[in-house]
Amino acid sequence: MQLFYNPNIAPDTIQFSFPKDESRHIVKVLRKKTGDQLNITNGKGYLFEAELTIADQKNCVVNILKTTHQAPKDYQLHLAVAPTKMNDRYEWFLEKATEIGITSITPIICDHSERKVVKIERFDKIIQSAMKQSLSCYYPVLNDPISFKDYINQDFSGDLFIAHCEDTDKKSLKFQALPKKEITILIGPEGDFSVKEIKMAIQNKFIPVTLGETRLRTETAAIVACHSIAFINE
């Protein structure tokens, strides 16, 4: 099944027109014709089965034939991950985390971050593509970049963890995380969190955890964390 995405379709929509750029993609690239069936999601859990009634590269129109709702996962996972030095590594993380299942992602700028500027628009496209490829009807929230200090001083709910490499007392994430919970996990940059940041996180009730015996790259650690939570919720 090929899945299209448009956030503007409501559950009670009967007819919908695609914007020009997507209309051109449907007609010129995918060569869809009048009468073809399309599957569309709004990223909010809804799947729309539609029929293409006007195949115009400037304005494709579909009639909604059937609307169903995909049940959400029974857990919520929020990852706050420092941007990697190489953008493609962060993009790989975004793609895989979306495929595995994640609720929201926040790029956090840390003391040891080498990259402090990120391209949210590009990241959004990566997430959108991964969501469609994995046939998920839920679009993960991608928050704007924020400094570690500002992020850590927010009000949090659920279980809170920070994965770091300092040689201190840490618990294994797989034994600390419980199923059907709201979970937030902090993943630091290539140079790890600073000692100051780790102390700030602990003061704000984040539990220090380890993701295994080996030292992991930022993007690998984020994927291991994401998969660990998905695994315990199977």
Side-chain angles (χ1 to χ4, degrees), residues 81-95:
V81 184
T84 52
K85 183 178 179 181
M86 303 298 292
N87 256 332
D88 61 341
R89 293 187 180 277
Y90 206 85
E91 291 173 3
W92 178 83
F93 145 64
L94 291 173
E95 178 183 77

Side-chain angles (χ1 to χ4, degrees), residues 45 69-74 138:
H69 188 260
Q70 188 179 84
K73 294 182 181 299
D74 54 8
Y138 287 92

Side-chain angles (χ1 to χ4, degrees), residues 92-109:
W92 178 83
F93 145 64
L94 291 173
E95 178 183 77
K96 302 312 175 188
T98 301
E99 291 177 14
I100 295 169
I102 192 168
T103 307
S104 69
I105 302 155
T106 304
I108 49 172
I109 310 303

Side-chain angles (χ1 to χ4, degrees), residues 132-173:
K132 292 189 292 185
Q133 188 278 329
S134 60
L135 301 182
S136 171
C137 291
Y138 287 92
Y139 195 98
V141 174
L142 176 62
N143 297 306
D144 289 331
I146 186 173
S147 71
F148 180 90
K149 181 179 179 181
D150 289 340
Y151 182 82
I152 206 70
N153 285 316
Q154 299 179 96
D155 291 328
F156 294 96
S157 58
D159 295 341
L160 311 175
F161 302 103
I162 177 171
H164 65 79
C165 300
E166 286 292 312
D167 189 16
T168 59
D169 182 37
K170 292 177 287 187
K171 309 296 184 182
S172 173
L173 177 64

